[in-house]
Amino acid sequence: MAKVIVMIGDRVLREIHVGKQTIRIGRDASNDVQLENPAVSRFHAEIYRQEHPFFVEDKNSTNGTFVNGSRIRWKSGLRNNDRITIGRHTLVFKVEPSDLPDGRIMTDIDGTLVIDPEK
């Protein structure tokens, strides 16, 4: 099952499993991931699954959402070990082979999923 590891610096705050539902991120208490930081918008971003790929989508936040250091304009596909930065928090996205279509994964080399295009 895919998961998001919420961190500040080197400290892990929590791990959240991403299933078929949308994970909402923001300062408001109604979010699945509440980030208490004034640089985080009330409803800042969402992580969700669309078919097999996972995406992070910025919800018109004031200070933006970054994936691996680059600001996303709307949404971005996620890969294993991508780092999402929101305010001073880092969310590390982890995907498991079981989250991919059956038979497509051949091996996992240094976090890069190698797929067989024939399958």
Side-chain angles (χ1 to χ4, degrees):
M1 177 176 284
K3 65 182 175 181
V4 175
I5 302 168
V6 182
M7 304 174 68
I8 291 183
D10 293 334
R11 187 171 55 129
V12 174
L13 300 178
R14 73 194 107 167
E15 291 186 11
I16 297 159
H17 293 280
V18 182
K20 293 182 181 182
Q21 77 278 12
T22 297
I23 303 296
R24 296 183 330 153
I25 304 160
R27 201 175 65 243
D28 193 85
S30 67
N31 288 293
D32 302 300
V33 179
Q34 183 183 14
L35 303 178
E36 296 180 28
N37 183 297
V40 177
S41 295
R42 286 180 49 235
F43 301 103
H44 198 103
E46 293 179 347
I47 296 174
Y48 58 91
R49 186 176 195 159
Q50 189 173 22
E51 296 296 323
H52 293 290
F54 289 87
F55 291 90
V56 60
E57 181 176 326
D58 186 85
K59 301 307 282 181
N60 234 1
S61 67
T62 301
N63 293 308
T65 301
F66 298 79
V67 176
N68 300 325
S70 296
R71 186 174 185 158
I72 62 171
R73 296 295 170 212
W74 178 46
K75 71 178 180 177
S76 177
L78 290 172
R79 295 176 303 198
N80 192 39
N81 291 318
D82 275 351
R83 300 176 74 79
I84 304 162
T85 305
I86 297 175
R88 62 187 181 115
H89 294 80
T90 300
L91 291 76
V92 181
F93 179 76
K94 298 283 190 178
V95 66
E96 299 293 327
S98 60
D99 292 310
L100 300 173
D102 291 338
R104 294 203 55 198
I105 186 167
M106 291 172 53
T107 186
D108 187 345
I109 303 170
D110 296 331
T112 302
L113 299 177
V114 180
I115 61 171
D116 181 355
E118 302 276 326
K119 292 185 178 181

